[in-house]
Amino acid sequence: MEWHVTDAQSLAIIDSEIENHVFSPAEYEIVRRVIYSTADFEYKSLIRFSERALQAGAAALAARTTIVVDVPMVQVGIAYEIQNTFANPVYCSMEALTRPQKEKTRAAWGIETLAKRYPEGIFVVGQAQTALTALVNLIEAEEIRPALIIATPVGFVDVDEVKRRLQDSLVPHITIDSRKGNAVVATAIIDGLVDLAWQAYGQDGNRGS
């Protein structure tokens, strides 16, 4: 992300209002990116990072691991950062060519299809709780082993339960500990992670076109 003067001023305000925190420097960069994108300071207490989630995600990005997202808004939101850094392939569950399934949503069936195709991919679920449930079912069935899952879908029915199941798995993950969340939050997290990974692994000669 290209930061401007107003961005710097906004980040300074966020820093002054957050004050003390327990996040690592890398985690804090993600947290304040989410707050900057939402103007919601409650996310400071809601974001959960599994052990080594950022390290695993950054390494996977640097290895140009395929990224699978649940909705076009996330795909569009991360396109600039991805194209101008590691140039990972990005696929959207809503655009996956699948046969109709009455018992599953389009997002769930699409992400399940892509997950089986890219079982060690990076998965970003910003909106569709059904897509997250499909991923967790595949993890528990030991059909996939994602490099990282970012899960921020808003929800009222069983969303906490499916997030708990993800948190109980050994898969690196970043989640929101409540009903709150949306595609904007997911996009902020992955964009922040791309910036961190580029600082750690990127070289000008590797920059995507």
Side-chain angles (χ1 to χ4, degrees):
M1 178 175 179
E2 293 185 21
W3 298 104
H4 301 287
V5 173
T6 53
D7 298 316
Q9 292 171 338
S10 297
L11 293 175
I13 292 171
I14 291 171
D15 291 340
S16 67
E17 293 194 27
I18 286 183
E19 296 181 337
N20 298 326
H21 61 81
V22 297
F23 298 109
S24 70
E27 290 172 344
Y28 182 64
E29 285 302 313
I30 300 294
V31 171
R32 72 174 186 162
R33 183 74 68 97
V34 170
I35 293 173
Y36 176 79
S37 298
T38 62
D40 188 343
F41 280 83
E42 189 177 359
Y43 281 108
K44 172 189 174 183
S45 60
L46 298 179
I47 297 180
R48 295 288 179 267
F49 301 89
S50 71
E51 186 176 358
R52 296 188 60 80
L54 296 183
Q55 295 93 324
L61 285 167
R64 290 181 167 81
T65 300
T66 295
I67 301 170
V68 177
V69 306
D70 63 331
V71 291
M73 183 176 178
V74 176
Q75 185 177 29
V76 172
I78 70 175
Y80 179 85
E81 288 289 330
I82 294 298
Q83 290 171 3
N84 286 278
T85 52
F86 301 107
N88 305 65
V90 181
Y91 297 103
C92 179
S93 70
M94 302 296 285
E95 297 174 356
L97 296 176
T98 62
R99 63 183 184 274
Q101 289 285 311
K102 292 182 180 179
E103 71 276 14
K104 294 181 180 179
T105 66
R106 183 178 173 188
W109 184 243
I111 210 161
E112 181 176 312
T113 299
L114 291 169
K116 291 179 178 179
R117 194 175 303 164
Y118 307 104
E120 297 182 352
I122 298 168
F123 295 87
V124 186
V125 181
Q127 180 171 311
Q129 178 188 334
T130 55
L132 179 58
T133 300
L135 285 177
V136 173
N137 288 341
L138 290 173
I139 291 169
E140 293 175 343
E142 298 184 351
E143 294 187 44
I144 64 172
R145 190 170 62 184
L148 175 70
I149 292 181
I150 295 171
T152 67
V154 65
F156 293 95
V157 181
D158 298 329
V159 69
D160 290 334
E161 171 63 17
V162 71
K163 287 179 181 177
R164 183 195 62 75
R165 289 166 59 198
L166 173 60
Q167 291 164 355
D168 287 343
S169 75
L170 297 178
V171 172
H173 58 267
I174 304 171
T175 59
I176 302 298
D177 228 11
S178 81
R179 295 173 172 177
K180 296 180 75 169
N182 53 45
V184 172
V185 174
T187 299
I189 292 173
I190 189 67
D191 278 349
L193 182 56
V194 170
D195 280 354
L196 290 170
W198 190 249
Q199 292 172 27
Y201 296 99
Q203 299 176 8
D204 289 342
N206 290 337
R207 186 169 289 273
S209 59

